[in-house]
Amino acid sequence: MNIEEIKTISLVDFLSHHSYKCTRSYRKRYWYLSPLHEEKEASFKVDLDCNMWYDFAEGKGGNIINLAQRLYPNLTPHEILRMLEQEAQNYSYSYIKDLSAVPQSDGNWQPREKQQDQEHGTAVSSVTGLSHYNLLNYISSRGIDVEIAKKYCQQVNYNVNGKNYYAIAFYNTEKGMEARNKYCKRCIGVKTYSAILMDPPRHSQRCCVFEGFFDFLSYAMFRQLQNFGICIETECDYIVLNSVSNLHKVIPYLNYYRYIHCYLDNDKAGKKATHTIVLNYPEKATDESFRYEKYKDLNDALTGKAIEPH
């Protein structure tokens, strides 16, 4: 096996074989008590879509080779690779598929909610209309009408360190873009929020605020289905944070609006962001997450993936 093949060995299988037990999982996201230090609450996350790990307590992450090096510091790099290759053969580890869509890590990987365009070698080859079969299929698998996605998104073809990739592109206000495919979420260019105005350059009286662009696309689907249990009936502007870390940039921008409808995630980070908006605009802001309270976010509500009981 070469290094790139070794990087695709399932981190979940590797951790299980080395007696590290998952404490909870949700849609290919696995949480563990960190194998790198002692802790009482799980801060170590494996994202099996792109086969990467991230330790929130340390603020560090990477691929399976980086993790093995941390766990077995007395082994040489060659011994690490040989160990992983032998284990994969002896214990029938599974592998991440479709390598053409999965960027490889340089050991500085961050989780999806933190990942930005940090590679110096990134070059955009072209930005076109959405057309790649894998991307269209991925959009459909998320319950989104392809025509809705084509209205708001494009396809970016880019190169990182001599390797070509493709992704769904969603522009932000600084002309950077969120780039997403089935296996990876990243930002190309400046990381900031996106604003979709109904009558540009003027602002509407109302806006809806979302965490990610798939939440926004899901809302557009609910509007197409005329599901006003989820949506508000009035047309409005749309603000997509692209990360809760961008909230401080959005707070001043929200002053343009008379009514603010918060459609953020039903998790700790989403609730905290909603609370911050309501504190800043108590007369304007409404928490709309009750409309999909059985689901983590709008896309899960669209696809019927309810929150699993603990």
Side-chain angles (χ1 to χ4, degrees):
M1 298 176 67
N2 60 38
I3 291 177
E4 299 306 324
E5 290 171 331
I6 289 173
K7 287 179 182 179
T8 69
I9 295 171
S10 167
L11 271 165
V12 171
D13 288 357
F14 172 77
L15 287 165
S16 176
H17 174 69
H18 288 264
S19 301
Y20 296 106
K21 296 182 180 180
C22 174
T23 62
R24 68 182 188 276
S25 64
Y26 180 72
R27 294 179 63 185
K28 295 188 179 182
R29 314 292 183 267
Y30 297 80
W31 289 88
Y32 299 81
L33 293 173
S34 177
L36 304 177
H37 53 84
E38 292 186 6
E39 61 183 7
K40 294 182 179 180
E41 294 188 7
S43 70
F44 187 93
K45 178 184 177 183
V46 171
D47 184 335
L48 206 56
D49 271 340
C50 50
N51 205 40
M52 300 290 183
W53 61 272
Y54 190 80
D55 191 314
F56 282 85
E58 288 193 353
K60 297 179 180 179
N63 58 43
I64 191 170
I65 298 173
N66 310 136
L67 179 58
Q69 289 171 327
R70 291 288 305 278
L71 294 176
Y72 302 100
N74 294 328
L75 296 182
T76 67
H78 177 74
E79 289 171 334
I80 289 288
L81 296 176
R82 183 171 176 78
M83 178 192 74
L84 291 171
E85 181 179 7
Q86 289 181 338
E87 287 187 3
Q89 295 170 352
N90 294 339
Y91 303 107
S92 301
Y93 288 165
S94 55
Y95 299 85
I96 299 300
K97 305 299 182 182
D98 194 4
L99 300 183
S100 65
V102 183
Q104 302 302 322
S105 169
D106 61 359
N108 296 316
W109 182 79
Q110 293 185 338
R112 295 182 171 208
E113 56 268 33
K114 291 177 176 285
Q115 190 173 0
Q116 297 186 22
D117 183 35
Q118 295 179 336
E119 294 88 343
H120 297 294
T122 302
V124 173
S125 306
S126 62
V127 179
T128 65
L130 281 166
S131 61
H132 197 290
Y133 171 80
N134 287 343
L135 297 181
L136 299 180
N137 189 52
Y138 175 55
I139 289 165
S140 296
S141 75
R142 299 290 297 266
I144 307 297
D145 188 312
V146 168
E147 294 307 312
I148 286 179
K150 287 182 176 181
K151 181 178 179 180
Y152 297 105
C153 303
Q154 293 179 285
Q155 178 176 316
V156 59
N157 302 293
Y158 62 99
N159 180 288
V160 179
N161 298 326
K163 296 183 179 181
N164 296 318
Y165 306 105
Y166 53 85
I168 303 161
F170 183 74
Y171 277 99
N172 61 40
T173 58
E174 296 293 333
K175 297 185 178 180
M177 63 181 78
E178 296 298 308
R180 175 86 65 92
N181 61 40
K182 182 178 180 180
Y183 298 100
C184 180
K185 175 182 178 181
R186 59 180 288 141
C187 177
I188 297 175
V190 178
K191 179 82 170 180
T192 191
Y193 65 94
S194 302
I196 299 94
L197 307 184
M198 291 298 100
D199 186 23
R202 295 183 298 177
H203 295 84
S204 304
Q205 287 193 352
R206 297 177 184 271
C207 73
C208 291
V209 183
F210 307 96
E211 196 162 320
F213 75 85
F214 263 103
D215 297 316
F216 161 60
L217 295 178
S218 299
Y219 185 90
M221 273 299 298
F222 279 120
R223 282 199 62 83
Q224 179 171 282
L225 297 170
Q226 296 187 333
N227 185 333
F228 297 117
I230 295 288
C231 304
I232 60 172
E233 294 192 41
T234 309
E235 286 280 2
C236 63
D237 294 346
Y238 303 108
I239 312 300
V240 182
L241 298 179
N242 293 319
S243 169
V244 291
S245 65
N246 289 323
L247 183 60
H248 69 285
K249 304 175 185 177
V250 171
I251 290 294
Y253 186 83
L254 292 177
N255 192 48
Y256 286 112
Y257 296 99
R258 186 175 179 181
Y259 305 99
I260 304 165
H261 303 274
C262 301
Y263 280 88
L264 303 179
D265 290 3
N266 278 318
D267 60 12
K268 185 176 180 180
K271 291 294 185 184
K272 183 177 179 180
T274 298
H275 181 65
T276 300
I277 294 172
V278 173
L279 279 179
N280 279 271
Y281 298 103
E283 304 299 322
K284 298 182 178 183
T286 304
D287 181 1
E288 304 288 359
S289 64
F290 72 92
R291 296 173 181 264
Y292 47 99
E293 61 184 352
K294 295 181 180 179
Y295 304 92
K296 179 181 177 292
D297 56 36
L298 278 173
N299 190 244
D300 281 358
L302 180 64
T303 56
K305 296 177 182 177
I307 295 173
E308 297 178 5
H310 295 292

